[in-house]
């Protein structure tokens, strides 16, 4: 039997339907759907669907709001036989059906490779009622746009598409630069990455100038390194969307440039706690450590000169210019970079969390400092990723996640700093003898005990991170 289907479809931000409907005390029925498409004589896009314990074949014709639909119940055997002939991917989703203000709604939450995609659909008895319809206020904050007439958002198109579709939206421009867009959830990835490149290179230039005026500005050096790390992290986390040759070149150049600031940073770390350590030693120990402090301060002067030469040289400036010359150009991106940012970001965040948990579980009590340093870098990258994506993450969720991450990162940072300080102390001790060497050994033991306490603190914080991983995994689910 042929029926007329009059339906409008709305694209929503990723959301947790159960939480939303429970919040408004709206009763619902949840069903898990599996469906695929095959080509038949009747239609090139014949749909087969499993709904609970029932199986259906559906043939639709037409586009947009009004379509013809013929549906037949089939046997499980027929469904499984046709499944082998499926064109494209098998689509799975949870459907929440509910009544609200006299209308019947279906909210589809997609699973698998389409995770994060969310539709709200409503059928009407006639076209007049459909045209007059306005979406209820409770969905306005979640509404991205209507996709009733956008073929790319048909389920048949989704089954064949290799990427998420990007809706046609008028995204706001970045105020400082009218050729770039402000980062919004359904902005295409390549536009979002252009904006990130612009903001990060601007930040690097700003701190470059500050350090050129005052190479002793430790905070400016810290911020310069953070912006360069964020830039590298962005390139690494979004690697699948960049041209491989372009990416390889700039990752290598950025790594070389970062290396130019490492020695100065390590020397700053070695100096920062030396007065505290002096207080922990007796008279002679204080005297010996003062000599180490003098040596580090002399080294600091040399490193400041080297840093200035780097900042005033042409390599850093040339790289910043090279990174910016391809704004709004397809030359550095793959075709997959046209996908909406938010749906891809969900996957990237999930992968990052899983990598951290996997590596953290493998850490043993006697794990090397290198292993802890590697995990510290993982946590840093996750934090940088969340900060880069902050415009599309609800701020309360982001605040909680960053606070938790900062605590773990601080602990791992202290462990790393203690290792740098111990290395300087050992280097100084090698040239020492007798009582001087013994005094420095006492200090090294104190540093080792402090390190053990921080390692214990990390283990506790990491166990909490594992328990709270849903806090991060649901950051982009409103």
């Amino acid at each position: 039997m042929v029926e007329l289907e009059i339906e409008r479809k709305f694209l929503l931000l990723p959301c947790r339907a159960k939480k939303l409907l429970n919040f408004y005390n709206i009763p619902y029925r949840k069903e898990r759907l599996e469906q695929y498409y095959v080509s038949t004589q009747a239609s090139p896009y014949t749909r087969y669907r499993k709904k609970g314990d029932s199986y259906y074949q559906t043939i639709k014709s037409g586009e947009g709001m009004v379509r013809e639909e013929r549906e037949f119940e089939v046997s499980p055997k027929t469904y499984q036989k046709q499944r082998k002939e499926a064109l494209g991917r098998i689509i799975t989703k949870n459907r929440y059906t509910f009544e609200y203000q006299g209308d019947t709604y279906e909210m589809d939450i997609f699973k698998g490779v389409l995770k994060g995609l969310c539709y709200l659909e409503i059928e009407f008895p006639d076209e007049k009622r459909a045209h007059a319809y306005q979406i209820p206020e409770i969905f306005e904050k979640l509404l991205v746009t209507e996709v009733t007439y956008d073929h790319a958002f048909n389920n048949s198109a989704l089954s064949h598409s290799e990427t998420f579709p990007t809706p046609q939206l008028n995204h706001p421009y970045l105020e400082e630069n009218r050729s770039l867009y402000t980062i919004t959830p359904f902005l295409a990835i390549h536009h979002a990455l252009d904006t990130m490149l612009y903001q990060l290179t601007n930040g690097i230039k700003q701190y470059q100038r500050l350090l050129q005026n005052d190479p002793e500005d430790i905070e400016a050096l810290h911020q310069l390194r953070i912006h360069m790390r964020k830039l590298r992290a962005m390139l690494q986390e979004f690697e699948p969307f960049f041209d491989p040759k372009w990416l390889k070149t700039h990752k290598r150049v950025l790594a070389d440039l970062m290396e130019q600031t490492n020695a100065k940073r390590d020397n700053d770390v070695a100096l920062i706690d030396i007065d505290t350590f002096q207080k922990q030693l007796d008279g002679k120990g204080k005297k010996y450590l003062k000599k180490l402090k003098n040596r580090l301060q002399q080294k600091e002067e040399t490193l400041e000169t080297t840093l200035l030469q780097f900042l005033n040289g042409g390599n850093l400036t040339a790289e910043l210019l090279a990174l910016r010359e391809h704004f709004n150009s397809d030359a550095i991106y793959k075709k997959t970079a046209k996908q909406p940012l938010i749906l891809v970001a969900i996957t990237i965040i999930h992968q990052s969390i899983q990598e951290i948990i996997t590596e953290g579980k493998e850490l043993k009590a006697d794990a090397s400092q290198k292993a802890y340093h590697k995990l510290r870098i993982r946590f840093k990258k996750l934090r940088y990723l969340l900060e880069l994506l902050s415009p599309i993450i609800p701020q309360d969720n982001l605040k909680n996640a960053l606070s938790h991450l900062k605590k773990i990162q601080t602990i791992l940072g202290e462990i790393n700093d203690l290792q740098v300080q111990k290395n300087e102390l050992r280097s100084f001790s090698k040239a020492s003898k007798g009582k001087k060497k013994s005094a420095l050994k006492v200090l090294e033991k104190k540093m080792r005990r402090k390190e053990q306490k921080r390692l214990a603190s990390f283990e506790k914080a990491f166990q909490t991170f594992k328990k709270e991983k849903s806090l991060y995994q649901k950051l982009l689910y409103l």
Side-chain angles (χ1 to χ4, degrees), residues 353 356-357 379-380 382-383 386-387 396-412 457-473 475:
I353 293 167
I356 286 174
I357 290 175
F379 273 106
K380 273 189 176 182
L382 176 58
R383 184 181 173 191
L386 298 186
E387 289 173 346
D396 287 344
N397 295 2
L398 180 65
K399 184 179 179 181
N400 291 336
L402 290 181
S403 175
H404 193 208
L405 279 177
K406 187 175 181 180
K407 180 180 178 181
I408 298 175
Q409 192 178 322
T410 298
I411 295 170
L412 288 171
S457 296
F458 165 72
E459 179 58 29
K460 185 177 179 181
F462 181 69
Q463 293 304 322
T464 302
F465 176 83
K466 287 196 298 182
K467 291 177 183 177
E468 298 293 331
K469 69 177 182 178
S470 62
L471 168 70
Y472 303 93
Q473 290 174 333
L475 279 176

Coordinates of all heavy atoms in Angstrom, one line a residue, residues 353 356-357 379-380 382-383 386-387 396-412 457-473 475:
I353 N 41.5 9.8 25.0 CA 41.2 9.3 26.3 C 41.6 7.8 26.4 O 42.3 7.4 27.4 CB 39.8 9.5 26.7 CG1 39.4 10.9 26.9 CG2 39.4 8.7 28.0 CD1 37.9 11.2 26.9
I356 N 45.4 7.3 26.6 CA 45.9 7.7 27.9 C 45.7 6.5 28.9 O 46.6 6.1 29.7 CB 45.3 9.0 28.5 CG1 45.8 10.2 27.7 CG2 45.5 9.1 30.0 CD1 45.1 11.5 28.1
I357 N 44.5 6.0 28.9 CA 44.1 4.9 29.8 C 44.9 3.7 29.6 O 45.4 3.0 30.5 CB 42.6 4.6 29.8 CG1 41.8 5.8 30.4 CG2 42.3 3.3 30.5 CD1 40.3 5.7 30.2
F379 N 48.6 13.6 28.4 CA 47.7 14.5 29.1 C 47.7 15.9 28.6 O 46.7 16.6 28.5 CB 48.0 14.4 30.6 CG 47.3 13.3 31.3 CD1 48.1 12.2 31.8 CD2 46.0 13.3 31.6 CE1 47.5 11.1 32.4 CE2 45.4 12.2 32.3 CZ 46.1 11.2 32.7
K380 N 48.9 16.4 28.3 CA 49.0 17.8 27.8 C 48.3 17.9 26.5 O 47.5 18.9 26.3 CB 50.5 18.1 27.6 CG 51.2 18.7 28.8 CD 52.6 19.2 28.4 CE 53.3 19.9 29.5 NZ 54.6 20.4 29.1
L382 N 45.8 16.2 25.4 CA 44.3 16.2 25.6 C 43.8 17.5 26.1 O 42.8 18.1 25.7 CB 44.0 15.1 26.6 CG 42.5 15.0 27.0 CD1 41.6 14.8 25.8 CD2 42.3 13.9 28.1
R383 N 44.6 18.1 27.1 CA 44.2 19.4 27.6 C 44.3 20.5 26.5 O 43.3 21.3 26.3 CB 45.2 19.8 28.7 CG 44.8 21.1 29.4 CD 45.7 21.5 30.5 NE 45.4 22.9 31.0 CZ 46.2 23.5 31.8 NH1 47.4 23.0 32.2 NH2 45.9 24.7 32.2
L386 N 41.2 20.1 24.2 CA 40.0 20.6 24.8 C 40.0 22.2 24.8 O 39.0 22.8 24.5 CB 39.8 20.1 26.2 CG 39.7 18.6 26.4 CD1 39.4 18.3 27.9 CD2 38.6 18.0 25.5
E387 N 41.2 22.8 25.0 CA 41.2 24.2 24.9 C 41.0 24.7 23.5 O 40.4 25.8 23.3 CB 42.6 24.7 25.5 CG 42.7 24.5 27.0 CD 44.1 24.8 27.6 OE1 45.0 24.9 26.8 OE2 44.2 24.9 28.8
D396 N 30.6 24.8 31.4 CA 30.6 24.2 32.7 C 31.3 22.8 32.6 O 32.1 22.4 33.5 CB 29.2 23.9 33.2 CG 28.5 25.2 33.7 OD1 29.3 26.2 33.9 OD2 27.3 25.3 33.9
N397 N 31.0 22.1 31.5 CA 31.6 20.8 31.3 C 33.1 21.0 31.1 O 33.9 20.2 31.7 CB 31.1 20.1 30.0 CG 29.6 19.7 30.2 OD1 29.0 20.0 31.2 ND2 29.0 19.1 29.2
L398 N 33.5 22.0 30.3 CA 34.9 22.2 30.0 C 35.7 22.6 31.3 O 36.8 22.1 31.5 CB 35.0 23.4 29.0 CG 36.4 23.8 28.6 CD1 37.1 22.6 27.9 CD2 36.4 25.0 27.7
K399 N 35.1 23.5 32.1 CA 35.7 23.9 33.4 C 36.1 22.7 34.3 O 37.2 22.6 34.8 CB 34.8 24.9 34.1 CG 35.4 25.5 35.3 CD 34.5 26.5 36.0 CE 35.1 27.1 37.3 NZ 34.2 28.1 37.9
N400 N 35.1 21.8 34.4 CA 35.3 20.7 35.3 C 36.4 19.8 34.7 O 37.3 19.3 35.5 CB 34.0 19.8 35.4 CG 33.0 20.6 36.2 OD1 33.3 21.4 37.1 ND2 31.7 20.3 36.0
A401 N 36.4 19.5 33.4 CA 37.4 18.7 32.8 C 38.8 19.3 32.9 O 39.8 18.6 33.2 CB 37.0 18.4 31.3
L402 N 38.9 20.5 32.6 CA 40.2 21.2 32.6 C 40.8 21.2 34.0 O 42.0 21.1 34.2 CB 40.2 22.6 32.0 CG 39.9 22.7 30.5 CD1 39.9 24.1 30.0 CD2 41.0 21.9 29.7
S403 N 39.9 21.5 35.0 CA 40.4 21.5 36.4 C 41.0 20.1 36.8 O 42.0 20.1 37.4 CB 39.2 21.8 37.3 OG 39.6 21.8 38.6
H404 N 40.3 19.1 36.4 CA 40.8 17.7 36.7 C 42.1 17.4 36.0 O 43.0 16.9 36.5 CB 39.7 16.7 36.3 CG 39.9 15.4 36.8 ND1 39.5 14.2 36.2 CD2 40.6 14.9 37.9 CE1 39.8 13.2 36.9 NE2 40.5 13.6 37.9
L405 N 42.1 17.8 34.7 CA 43.3 17.5 33.9 C 44.5 18.3 34.4 O 45.7 17.9 34.4 CB 43.1 17.9 32.4 CG 42.4 16.9 31.6 CD1 42.2 17.5 30.2 CD2 43.1 15.6 31.5
K406 N 44.3 19.6 34.8 CA 45.4 20.4 35.3 C 46.0 19.8 36.6 O 47.2 19.9 36.8 CB 44.8 21.8 35.6 CG 45.9 22.8 36.0 CD 45.3 24.2 36.2 CE 46.4 25.2 36.5 NZ 45.9 26.6 36.7
K407 N 45.2 19.2 37.4 CA 45.7 18.6 38.6 C 46.7 17.5 38.3 O 47.8 17.4 38.8 CB 44.5 18.0 39.5 CG 45.0 17.4 40.8 CD 43.8 16.8 41.5 CE 44.2 16.1 42.8 NZ 43.1 15.5 43.5
I408 N 46.3 16.6 37.3 CA 47.1 15.5 36.9 C 48.4 16.0 36.2 O 49.5 15.6 36.5 CB 46.4 14.6 36.0 CG1 45.2 14.0 36.7 CG2 47.3 13.5 35.4 CD1 44.3 13.1 35.8
Q409 N 48.2 17.0 35.4 CA 49.3 17.6 34.6 C 50.3 18.2 35.6 O 51.5 18.1 35.3 CB 48.8 18.6 33.6 CG 49.9 19.0 32.6 CD 49.3 20.0 31.6 OE1 48.1 19.9 31.1 NE2 50.1 21.0 31.2
T410 N 49.8 18.9 36.6 CA 50.7 19.5 37.6 C 51.6 18.5 38.3 O 52.8 18.7 38.5 CB 49.9 20.3 38.6 OG1 49.2 21.3 38.0 CG2 50.8 20.9 39.7
I411 N 51.0 17.4 38.7 CA 51.7 16.3 39.4 C 52.8 15.8 38.5 O 54.0 15.6 38.9 CB 50.8 15.2 39.8 CG1 49.8 15.7 40.9 CG2 51.5 14.0 40.4 CD1 48.7 14.7 41.2
L412 N 52.4 15.4 37.2 CA 53.4 14.9 36.3 C 54.5 15.9 35.9 O 55.6 15.6 35.7 CB 52.7 14.4 35.0 CG 51.8 13.2 35.1 CD1 51.0 12.9 33.9 CD2 52.7 11.9 35.4
S457 N 50.8 10.3 44.4 CA 49.7 11.2 44.1 C 49.2 11.0 42.7 O 48.0 11.1 42.5 CB 50.2 12.7 44.3 OG 50.6 12.9 45.6
F458 N 50.1 10.8 41.8 CA 49.7 10.6 40.4 C 48.8 9.3 40.3 O 47.8 9.3 39.6 CB 50.9 10.5 39.5 CG 50.5 9.9 38.1 CD1 49.8 10.7 37.2 CD2 50.8 8.6 37.8 CE1 49.4 10.2 36.0 CE2 50.4 8.1 36.6 CZ 49.7 8.8 35.7
E459 N 49.3 8.3 40.9 CA 48.5 7.0 40.8 C 47.1 7.2 41.3 O 46.1 6.7 40.7 CB 49.2 5.9 41.7 CG 48.5 4.6 41.6 CD 48.4 4.0 40.2 OE1 49.2 4.3 39.4 OE2 47.4 3.2 40.0
K460 N 46.9 7.9 42.4 CA 45.6 8.2 42.9 C 44.8 9.0 41.9 O 43.6 8.7 41.7 CB 45.7 8.9 44.3 CG 44.4 9.2 45.0 CD 44.6 9.8 46.3 CE 43.3 10.1 47.0 NZ 43.5 10.8 48.3
A461 N 45.4 10.1 41.4 CA 44.7 11.0 40.4 C 44.3 10.2 39.1 O 43.3 10.4 38.6 CB 45.6 12.2 40.1
F462 N 45.2 9.3 38.7 CA 45.0 8.5 37.5 C 43.8 7.6 37.7 O 43.0 7.4 36.8 CB 46.2 7.7 37.1 CG 46.0 6.9 35.8 CD1 45.9 7.6 34.6 CD2 46.0 5.6 35.9 CE1 45.7 6.9 33.4 CE2 45.8 4.8 34.7 CZ 45.7 5.5 33.5
Q463 N 43.7 7.0 38.9 CA 42.6 6.1 39.1 C 41.2 6.8 39.1 O 40.2 6.3 38.5 CB 42.7 5.4 40.5 CG 43.9 4.4 40.6 CD 43.8 3.3 39.6 OE1 42.8 2.8 39.2 NE2 45.0 3.0 39.0
T464 N 41.3 8.1 39.6 CA 40.1 8.9 39.5 C 39.8 9.3 38.0 O 38.6 9.3 37.6 CB 40.3 10.3 40.3 OG1 40.6 9.9 41.6 CG2 39.1 11.1 40.2
F465 N 40.8 9.5 37.2 CA 40.6 9.8 35.8 C 39.9 8.7 35.1 O 39.0 8.9 34.3 CB 42.0 10.1 35.1 CG 41.9 10.3 33.7 CD1 41.6 11.6 33.1 CD2 42.2 9.3 32.8 CE1 41.5 11.8 31.8 CE2 42.1 9.5 31.4 CZ 41.8 10.7 30.9
K466 N 40.4 7.5 35.4 CA 39.7 6.3 34.8 C 38.2 6.2 35.1 O 37.4 5.9 34.3 CB 40.5 5.0 35.2 CG 41.8 4.8 34.5 CD 42.3 3.4 34.6 CE 42.5 3.0 36.1 NZ 43.0 1.6 36.2
K467 N 38.0 6.5 36.4 CA 36.6 6.4 36.9 C 35.7 7.5 36.3 O 34.5 7.3 36.0 CB 36.5 6.5 38.4 CG 37.1 5.3 39.1 CD 37.1 5.5 40.6 CE 37.7 4.3 41.4 NZ 37.7 4.5 42.8
E468 N 36.3 8.6 36.0 CA 35.6 9.8 35.5 C 35.7 10.0 34.0 O 35.5 11.1 33.5 CB 36.1 11.1 36.3 CG 35.9 11.0 37.7 CD 34.4 11.1 38.1 OE1 33.6 11.7 37.3 OE2 34.1 10.6 39.2
K469 N 36.1 9.0 33.3 CA 36.4 9.1 31.9 C 35.1 9.6 31.1 O 35.2 10.3 30.1 CB 36.9 7.9 31.2 CG 36.0 6.7 31.1 CD 36.6 5.5 30.4 CE 35.7 4.4 30.3 NZ 36.3 3.2 29.5
S470 N 34.0 9.2 31.7 CA 32.7 9.7 31.0 C 32.6 11.2 31.0 O 31.9 11.8 30.2 CB 31.5 9.0 31.7 OG 31.4 9.4 33.0
L471 N 33.2 11.8 32.0 CA 33.2 13.3 32.1 C 33.8 13.9 30.8 O 33.3 14.9 30.3 CB 34.0 13.7 33.3 CG 34.4 15.2 33.4 CD1 33.1 16.0 33.7 CD2 35.4 15.5 34.5
Y472 N 34.8 13.2 30.3 CA 35.5 13.7 29.1 C 34.8 13.2 27.8 O 34.7 14.0 26.9 CB 36.9 13.3 29.1 CG 37.7 13.7 30.3 CD1 37.8 12.9 31.4 CD2 38.3 14.9 30.4 CE1 38.5 13.3 32.5 CE2 39.0 15.4 31.5 CZ 39.1 14.5 32.6 OH 39.8 14.9 33.7
Q473 N 34.3 12.0 27.9 CA 33.7 11.4 26.7 C 32.4 12.1 26.3 O 32.0 12.1 25.2 CB 33.5 9.9 26.9 CG 34.8 9.1 26.9 CD 34.6 7.7 27.3 OE1 33.7 7.3 28.0 NE2 35.5 6.8 26.8
L475 N 31.8 15.4 26.9 CA 31.9 16.8 26.9 C 31.1 17.5 25.8 O 30.6 18.6 25.9 CB 33.4 17.2 26.6 CG 34.3 17.1 27.9 CD1 35.7 17.4 27.5 CD2 33.8 18.1 28.9

